[in-house]
Structures are given as structure tokens and as C-alpha cells.
Amino acid sequence: MDFENYIKPELLILIPVLYLIGEAIKKSNIADKHIPLILGAAGVVLSGIYLFAVEPISGAQAVATALFTAFTQGVLVAGASVYADQIIKQAGKEE
């Protein structure tokens, strides 16, 4: 899968970061069903922090674009992280 067509290359690092966050959450008292939502929110926040740190943002249109990009990129990296987790789980199963 060519993630770079959808996810900004500089945000690809968030996939393993979110995977590790998900593994840490699994060891807590938080129910597994909440992990994808938590990772999605974390992906959006981390993407937003990155975008607002590196992009010159002036004006309402630039803010709206940055928020949209942060949301879409955050959801994509979180989805890729959950997908990676499932690949690892399924590869370990015997059929």
C-alpha cells in the first residue's frame, strides 16, 4: 500500500507512534472498543500540532485548511495504525 499518496510523508511517523500508544492503552483499564476513537483523536491532535508548528498560518482560510488537513491526516494515520495492529494479530494466528 502506498501511504504517501494519502498521508503526508512527514506524518507517516505517527503510524508507529499511535501503534505504541494503542499498545499502552491496551494494558490500561480502558476498554478495547474505545482504542480506535482515542487513537483517532490523538492522531488529529498530533497532526494539528505538527501542521500549526510548520505552516505559516495567517487568515481564516489558512486556519480552516490546516484544521481540515489535521483532521483528515489524523484519521488516516490512526486508521493505518489500527490496520497495522490487525495485520500483526492476524499474522500470529494459526488456521
Side-chain angles (χ1 to χ4, degrees):
M1 182 174 276
D2 190 10
F3 289 111
E4 291 181 10
N5 285 335
Y6 304 101
I7 300 171
K8 290 177 167 275
E10 59 273 20
L11 294 176
L12 288 172
I13 189 65
L14 291 179
I15 296 170
V17 168
L18 292 172
Y19 175 81
L20 293 173
I21 290 171
E23 290 297 313
I25 293 171
K26 283 181 188 177
K27 295 177 182 175
S28 72
N29 292 333
I30 298 172
D32 286 352
K33 69 179 183 178
H34 299 301
I35 294 174
L37 289 175
I38 293 169
L39 293 180
V44 170
V45 169
L46 291 172
S47 295
I49 289 170
Y50 174 80
L51 290 169
F52 279 96
V54 300
E55 299 287 331
I57 299 188
S58 58
Q61 184 176 12
V63 169
T65 299
L67 289 173
F68 176 79
T69 303
F71 181 80
T72 56
Q73 293 295 294
V75 169
L76 288 171
V77 294
S81 175
V82 172
Y83 179 66
D85 179 62
Q86 288 300 307
I87 288 175
I88 292 167
K89 281 182 182 175
Q90 297 304 319
K93 286 185 177 179
E94 291 184 28
E95 295 206 25

